[in-house]
Amino acid sequence: MKSLLARGSELASSKEQLKILTEVSEKLNLPSFSAKLKEAGLFPLRPTGVDILQVNVGKLCNQTCRHCHVDAGPDRREIMTRETMQECLVALATPGVTTLDITGGAPEMNPNFRWFVEEASKFGKKIMIRCNLTILLAGEKYRDLPEFFAEHKVEVVSSLPYFQKRRTDAQRGEGVFDRSIEALRKLNSLGYGIANSGLVLNLVYNPVGAFLAGGQSTLENDFKKELKQVHDVQFNSLFALTNMPISRFLESLLENGNIDAYLEKLVTAFNPVAATGVMCRNTLSVGWDGSLYDCDFNQMLDMKIEGTVSKISEFNKSVLDSREILLHQHCYGCTAGAGSSCGGSIA
Amino acid sequence: MAQETTYYKPEDLKKFGNIGEFEPDLAKKFFDYYGSVFADGALSAKEKSLIALAVAHVVQCPYCIDAYTTDTLEKGATEEQLWEAIHVGAAIRSGSTLVHSVQALNKVKELGV
Ligand code: SF4
Ligand code: SF4
């Protein structure tokens, strides 16, 4: 499969995606997300503070998952330069910024990835890497990445949509499950995911279809039991995420005729408690070209942050801490049920 | 407009909560009870959801089949678990039909055929 962009799909345009979300909401008479936040006394939504810098180092990826909100893939060429990474490092040095969260695409495919991690690790702050697992088996160039992660005490966060082959491969591509298990075993062999090793390996679950992720702790137990018993694989925590109705997941919702029901479900499941903990409140998202966004989803929808600071080179924590977060109907994905952020359930 | 061919409409499932319109007190009691039944307890919410799916098939309620297929998936159940639960319902249904044939057997013997 190719990215939406490479296929010339209308959905590659963020304007088109937002238009569809607006039209469906109007047709179904769904309240705007802002109105819902007003009811909950949370509007305008403001950050609690920029603690986490989430840097998207590019859209290039070795996979083309069906639900990808980045529309990433081998055909994407957008890549963060070393200069922009340097600007991110300056921002990371700011007191109060505790964590660097590196994402993509497959961030490891950025030629400056290792340099970035090495430089960032000098600050003694937490570094997380969103690793799709299969990249660790994608050739000589990547084979020693697990050792590299361990050496820099990087926290590895890996997607594994399900503990069985069928659903995982349906979402992420044929053979992805088996290769993911092999990569997980490699990480385990270095101590990743093993209690008290100091090396953290977390997995990310997201539903393979148009339904929500319920019961993170039950799911974590099921994943732990099944992966240990059947595959001899261990990990620390499971983060259950909701699929965002944007980009390639939006495409599949439109193809299956599930868009109305899914959006309605997200709205019906709105949880004000989850709304207080959405990730845009403590995270700032940086795009491959250094532009700033409230979150990775707003980034993919081209919704740049409000205010005077627009690039990572202009990073100013106090200005950013008091900005107003931009919202649209996709935000319901963060507040449905137990809520969903990069760190899993939030309520 | 096309003529309706069934009393069951998928969109009616969403209106389940409205049954209290004319009898709120009893409806509230029912929904409170329902909520308690399906909460985590000695059985997990997921196990309860799988039981509900089996029962939904036995009582042949399309609304409940729709709701509990989704619910079991949301709770992370595998397809194997869904279908084993459905077969448990089917086995009890056919078994309960067949076990009544003991009565037929008794009658056959009583009549001395
Ligand atoms: S979901 Fe992740 S692994 Fe899959 S295509 Fe997108 S960026 Fe790549
Ligand atoms: S989609 Fe982004 S901006 Fe909207 S609530 Fe979620 S994290 Fe915040």
Side-chain angles (χ1 to χ4, degrees):
Chain A
M1 193 169 79
K2 287 183 176 169
S3 68
L4 293 167
L5 188 72
R7 280 184 273 137
S9 163
E10 272 201 316
L11 280 176
S13 137
S14 55
K15 277 208 187 72
E16 179 65 19
Q17 296 177 41
L18 289 170
K19 189 173 130 225
I20 291 170
L21 290 177
T22 304
E23 280 171 2
V24 173
S25 300
E26 281 170 2
K27 181 179 79 183
L28 300 174
N29 222 352
L30 302 175
S32 75
F33 187 74
S34 305
K36 206 74 178 174
L37 279 191
K38 250 177 223 149
E39 266 174 41
L42 282 165
F43 189 84
L45 190 64
R46 296 201 188 274
T48 51
V50 177
D51 306 335
I52 304 172
L53 200 61
Q54 187 174 57
V55 179
N56 193 314
V57 297
K59 300 187 183 192
L60 177 61
C61 190
N62 60 322
Q63 293 186 175
T64 341
C65 308
R66 278 179 59 80
H67 71 305
C68 185
H69 73 275
V70 180
D71 193 27
D75 55 57
R76 297 303 297 255
R77 291 291 166 260
E78 301 89 332
I79 279 290
M80 183 177 276
T81 61
R82 192 181 277 215
E83 291 69 48
T84 308
M85 286 178 177
Q86 184 64 58
E87 292 163 2
C88 293
L89 291 169
V90 172
L92 182 66
T94 311
V97 179
T98 61
T99 305
L100 175 68
D101 182 348
I102 308 174
T103 188
E108 303 88 341
M109 293 177 85
N110 182 311
N112 292 306
F113 169 75
R114 290 189 201 225
W115 174 84
F116 190 38
V117 171
E118 272 161 8
E119 292 301 308
S121 68
K122 293 177 185 163
F123 296 102
K125 300 190 176 184
K126 180 165 152 182
I127 305 178
M128 295 160 76
I129 163 87
R130 309 270 161 182
C131 170
N132 72 13
L133 295 174
T134 61
I135 191 69
L136 306 180
L137 307 171
E140 267 319 303
K141 219 163 126 195
Y142 304 110
R143 210 161 286 272
D144 64 336
L145 274 170
E147 286 84 358
F148 175 79
F149 293 156
E151 188 191 328
H152 295 91
K153 297 260 181 307
V154 173
E155 184 174 312
V156 177
V157 184
S158 291
S159 265
L160 190 70
Y162 204 51
F163 52 73
Q164 288 183 331
K165 187 176 166 62
R166 203 188 63 80
R167 278 193 215 171
T168 299
D169 285 2
Q171 184 177 81
R172 293 176 86 78
E174 197 55 38
V176 166
F177 183 79
D178 290 341
R179 279 184 282 144
S180 300
I181 293 293
E182 199 184 326
L184 287 169
R185 287 213 188 101
K186 174 79 202 276
L187 288 165
N188 279 172
S189 73
L190 294 169
Y192 267 107
I194 311 293
N196 304 320
S197 70
L199 294 175
V200 179
L201 169 61
N202 293 325
L203 294 186
V204 175
Y205 159 92
N206 59 283
V208 184
F211 53 93
L212 301 183
Q216 181 166 273
S217 62
T218 314
L219 282 162
E220 181 178 288
N221 288 340
D222 288 352
F223 264 71
K224 283 202 163 150
K225 202 169 114 210
E226 189 85 5
L227 289 181
K228 179 81 189 106
Q229 281 175 4
V230 184
H231 304 285
D232 196 26
V233 159
Q234 299 180 65
F235 66 95
N236 296 100
S237 303
L238 183 83
F239 302 155
L241 305 193
T242 301
N243 287 315
M244 274 284 159
I246 64 172
S247 197
R248 292 213 289 264
F249 188 63
L250 177 59
E251 181 188 40
S252 86
L253 289 172
L254 291 166
E255 272 173 12
N256 308 330
N258 282 323
I259 180 67
D260 291 10
Y262 191 72
L263 213 55
E264 199 163 29
K265 181 157 206 158
L266 293 181
V267 175
T268 315
F270 176 82
N271 176 358
V273 180
T276 62
V278 284
M279 66 184 164
C280 47
R281 301 198 77 188
N282 68 352
T283 305
L284 182 73
S285 157
V286 189
W288 65 274
D289 62 353
S291 298
L292 298 181
Y293 305 86
D294 297 303
C295 71
D296 208 47
F297 305 117
N298 283 9
Q299 179 176 150
M300 300 316 150
L301 290 170
D302 264 330
M303 295 167 58
K304 294 196 170 66
I305 57 164
E306 290 241 291
T308 48
V309 175
S310 65
K311 288 275 189 183
I312 190 64
S313 54
E314 302 159 354
F315 186 87
N316 178 324
K317 194 167 183 304
S318 59
V319 172
L320 291 165
D321 281 354
S322 57
R323 75 192 192 273
E324 189 177 317
I325 294 165
L326 291 179
L327 310 162
H328 203 279
Q329 296 305 74
H330 65 292
C331 295
Y332 276 113
C334 291
T335 55
S340 169
S341 84
C342 278
S345 292
I346 47 190
Chain B
M1 207 178 104
Q3 202 177 343
E4 289 291 349
T5 53
T6 171
Y7 282 104
Y8 288 117
K9 298 187 201 103
E11 63 270 23
D12 282 350
L13 176 56
K14 283 181 281 187
K15 299 181 196 155
F16 190 19
N18 302 350
I19 60 155
E21 193 174 334
F22 295 113
E23 186 36 278
D25 296 345
L26 288 179
K28 184 178 179 314
K29 283 186 175 140
F30 168 75
F31 284 118
D32 285 348
Y33 165 74
Y34 195 92
S36 303
V37 165
F38 281 97
D40 268 316
L43 290 173
S44 69
K46 180 174 144 190
E47 287 165 330
K48 289 177 179 183
S49 185
L50 285 162
I51 294 172
L53 181 70
V55 176
H57 279 77
V58 174
V59 302
Q60 294 185 329
C61 171
Y63 298 123
C64 297
I65 291 173
D66 188 338
Y68 283 96
T69 303
T70 310
D71 194 62
T72 47
L73 289 175
E74 291 190 344
K75 296 202 160 58
T78 65
E79 282 80 347
E80 290 81 357
Q81 288 172 331
L82 262 72
W83 262 265
E84 283 185 23
I86 294 166
H87 278 291
V88 167
I92 291 295
R93 180 153 229 175
S94 58
S96 72
T97 305
L98 287 172
V99 75
H100 281 81
S101 72
V102 174
Q103 189 181 340
L105 204 61
N106 288 344
K107 194 71 187 171
V108 165
K109 297 220 169 126
E110 180 193 315
L111 297 175
V113 198

